[in-house]
Amino acid sequence: EVQLVESGGGLVQPGGSLRLSCAASGFTFSSYWMTWVRQAPGKGLEWVASIKQDGSEKYYVDSVKGRFTISRDNAKNSLYLQMNSLRAEDTAVYYCAREGSVWAYWGQGTLVTVSS
Amino acid sequence: EIVMTQSPAALSVSPGERTTLSCRASQSVSSNLAWYQQRPGQAPRLLIYGTSTRATGIPARFSGSGSGTEFTLTISSLQSEDFAVYCCQQYNNWPLTFGGGTKVEIK
């Protein structure tokens, strides 16, 4: 059974940093693109970033370029999102999802709140 | 960036009725269009990809059609579990983008 479990969310002040993790199991992690998608409270879904199987290609939404970094550790079956210079508008539930462009498998999400 | 626009934003439907949701892209996305269902407090669920291919385990009452810039999701006979938010997503170009969603409510 495919499982994706996010962790690392929480309350952070504007300008602060947070690192999200996604632990994957039930499939060959190194064979799939992986993605982060977020959803602000009461709002729609927003794609954040995707990473290729070997980490050689990464794509980001413009609003996080230069502030967020997606990475992966295939030996640990884990996906990461390093978030720096956080802003109030980054407040959202962050989901990890399997595949790069269409997502049949999602985690349960982790809430990031950026507030002073 | 390709902007995805969904209409209507919300609609009220009686159980058993047929309903059609629309999604428009600001430029052609070919057939690279997916639909998701999201219930409150849950992660999205993939319904349709490639405009018209149902994802694994999705009931046949869900169908998708369209091409280029105009797409529709049809639910042939609404069941109680279908009352949710539906959103479309294009994956023809980076950045990948979603529509704002259509909320299907019980009439």
Side-chain angles (χ1 to χ4, degrees), chain B residues 36-83:
Chain B
Y36 297 85
Q37 176 194 68
Q38 190 174 27
R39 300 185 181 112
Q42 294 187 15
R45 175 193 184 197
L46 178 65
L47 298 175
I48 301 282
Y49 63 95
T51 297
S52 59
T53 302
R54 279 189 303 277
T56 302
I58 301 304
R61 64 180 181 272
F62 292 94
S63 63
S65 63
S67 66
T69 61
E70 300 284 344
F71 301 89
T72 59
L73 174 70
T74 299
I75 310 172
S76 60
S77 176
L78 269 153
Q79 307 298 302
S80 57
E81 61 268 28
D82 299 337
F83 292 96

Side-chain angles (χ1 to χ4, degrees), chain A residues 64-75:
Chain A
V64 309
K65 282 180 183 175
R67 301 189 300 123
F68 290 12
T69 302
I70 188 172
S71 63
R72 63 192 297 162
D73 185 334
N74 288 341

Side-chain angles (χ1 to χ4, degrees), chain A residues 42-62:
Chain A
K43 302 296 184 182
L45 297 165
E46 181 181 38
W47 167 77
V48 175
S50 295
I51 185 169
K52 194 176 179 180
Q53 291 91 329
D54 61 359
S56 61
E57 290 183 42
K58 304 176 184 181
Y59 296 91
Y60 299 91
V61 68
D62 280 351

Side-chain angles (χ1 to χ4, degrees), chain A:
Chain A
E1 178 193 3
V2 172
Q3 286 200 332
L4 299 168
V5 180
E6 302 94 337
S7 60
L11 176 63
V12 61
Q13 292 188 338
S17 297
L18 214 53
R19 188 197 197 203
L20 305 184
S21 299
C22 172
S25 60
F27 64 100
T28 304
F29 181 74
S30 59
S31 296
Y32 291 88
W33 281 73
M34 295 295 295
T35 294
W36 288 99
V37 175
R38 68 184 178 183
Q39 187 168 34
K43 302 296 184 182
L45 297 165
E46 181 181 38
W47 167 77
V48 175
S50 295
I51 185 169
K52 194 176 179 180
Q53 291 91 329
D54 61 359
S56 61
E57 290 183 42
K58 304 176 184 181
Y59 296 91
Y60 299 91
V61 68
D62 280 351
S63 60
V64 309
K65 282 180 183 175
R67 301 189 300 123
F68 290 12
T69 302
I70 188 172
S71 63
R72 63 192 297 162
D73 185 334
N74 288 341
K76 294 183 178 179
N77 292 336
S78 292
L79 176 71
Y80 306 103
L81 187 67
Q82 177 66 44
M83 303 186 295
N84 299 331
S85 303
L86 282 160
R87 306 166 180 167
E89 54 265 36
D90 296 318
T91 294
V93 173
Y94 285 73
Y95 295 99
C96 73
R98 192 183 83 169
E99 297 288 4
S101 55
V102 178
W103 308 291
Y105 295 98
W106 298 68
Q108 84 289 348
T110 187
L111 176 62
V112 173
T113 303
V114 184
S115 175
S116 55

